[in-house]
């Protein structure tokens, strides 16, 4: 039933998906996965209050799982309600204070409310927990860049590239960070490497344009 609902969502048959998921919940009102899926349908239909209600219910019944809480934080941030996002992230932090995804959600909330100092502190911890996971380090660096912590972002990206040399997302963000820091020679070197390694993509040329500006 959940698989059918997901297919209906992809086909934009939202009413059918909502009815199917409601039927699942009528038979098993503790099915957290169905609650999360129904919240997603409500969000797509513009029913934000309903989406919030189902995610809160799912979070309450999720035990130590953070999925519903993370979805709830994302909903609040997407709808411009950072204050509610902060409350949701507090509950998440009490569940899993050292979970990487929870720390990233906390950092996004801190940035949304304008607390760059708190965001910096959280992101230092997130970068440490990311270890040498290049993709996670890039995500951390993007938020560090947003927080204006360019040196920290550069460090995270260098670490990502040491773990995964030539990783394109890390290279692109690092080149942008270098431009923002005035490290133009380094940025040009990265941009030219991207053009050489990925001649069929336009991103290297776009970086050269940014550098020229």
């Amino acid at each position: 039933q959940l698989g059918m609902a997901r297919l209906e969502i992809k086909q934009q048959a939202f009413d059918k998906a909502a009815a199917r998921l409601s039927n699942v919940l009528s038979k098993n009102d503790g099915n957290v996965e169905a609650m999360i899926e129904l919240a997603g349908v409500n969000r797509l239909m513009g029913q934000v209050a309903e989406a919030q209600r189902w995610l809160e219910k799912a979070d309450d019944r999720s035990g130590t799982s953070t999925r519903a809480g993370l979805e709830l934080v994302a909903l609040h941030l997407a709808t411009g309600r950072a204050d509610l996002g902060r409350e949701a992230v507090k509950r998440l932090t009490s569940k899993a204070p050292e979970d990487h995804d929870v720390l990233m959600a906390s950092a996004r909330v801190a940035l949304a409310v304008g607390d760059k100092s708190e965001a910096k502190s959280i992101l230092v911890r997130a970068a440490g927990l990311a270890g040498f996971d290049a993709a996670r380090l890039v995500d951390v660096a993007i938020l560090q860049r947003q927080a204006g912590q360019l040196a920290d972002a550069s460090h995270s990206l260098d670490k990502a590239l040491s773990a995964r040399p030539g990783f394109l997302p890390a290279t692109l963000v690092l080149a942008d960070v270098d431009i923002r820091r005035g490290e133009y020679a380094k940025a040009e070197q990265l941009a030219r490497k991207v053009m050489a390694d990925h001649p069929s993509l336009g991103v290297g040329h776009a970086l050269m344009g940014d550098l020229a500006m």
Side-chain angles (χ1 to χ4, degrees):
Q1 290 298 309
L2 288 169
M4 287 293 293
R6 292 185 186 112
L7 286 172
E8 287 163 348
I9 293 167
K10 287 184 178 180
Q11 295 166 347
Q12 297 187 356
F14 300 137
D15 289 336
K16 284 185 179 180
R20 188 182 299 278
L21 291 165
S22 295
N23 185 51
V24 170
L25 287 165
S26 70
K27 296 175 182 177
N28 178 6
D29 64 0
N31 190 316
V32 170
E33 197 171 354
M35 293 178 200
I36 294 172
E37 294 290 347
L38 184 53
V41 175
N42 290 145
R43 181 175 174 179
L44 289 168
M45 296 172 73
Q47 298 168 351
V48 175
E50 274 296 286
Q52 178 181 337
R53 184 175 73 84
W54 281 114
L55 287 174
E56 288 174 343
K57 189 172 182 179
D59 189 38
D60 288 341
R61 298 197 176 199
S62 290
T64 59
S65 172
T66 59
R67 183 186 167 199
L70 289 169
E71 294 279 356
L72 182 60
V73 173
L75 175 68
H76 289 322
L77 291 179
T79 52
R81 300 178 300 170
D83 53 334
L84 294 178
R86 175 161 271 184
E87 291 303 312
V89 94
K90 283 180 183 176
R91 291 194 297 274
L92 272 175
T93 301
S94 68
K95 280 187 179 185
E98 295 302 313
D99 180 86
H100 177 81
D101 292 333
V102 171
L103 287 172
M104 293 295 284
S106 299
R108 290 188 181 97
V109 168
L111 288 170
V113 299
D115 193 340
K116 291 186 177 181
S117 177
E118 182 184 358
K120 178 184 178 181
S121 174
I122 294 168
L123 289 167
V124 168
R125 290 164 59 202
L129 282 173
F132 285 89
D133 185 318
R136 282 188 167 185
L137 286 166
V138 171
D139 289 341
V140 170
I142 288 170
L143 293 186
Q144 287 172 326
R145 179 181 62 180
Q146 186 179 339
Q149 302 299 328
L150 298 182
D152 289 346
S154 182
H155 177 73
S156 296
L157 295 163
D158 284 338
K159 189 177 173 184
L161 288 167
S162 72
R164 194 169 167 184
F167 185 43
L168 183 59
T171 304
L172 295 176
V173 180
L174 181 56
D176 177 73
V177 169
D178 283 341
I179 290 171
R180 292 170 188 240
R181 297 180 76 190
E183 300 281 357
Y184 300 133
K186 290 182 180 179
E188 182 175 2
Q189 185 178 7
L190 289 170
R192 292 194 182 281
K193 179 172 172 51
V194 170
M195 287 193 296
D197 292 347
H198 304 277
S200 62
L201 300 180
V203 286
H205 299 283
L207 278 175
M208 289 297 289
D210 290 341
L211 182 60
M213 289 295 291

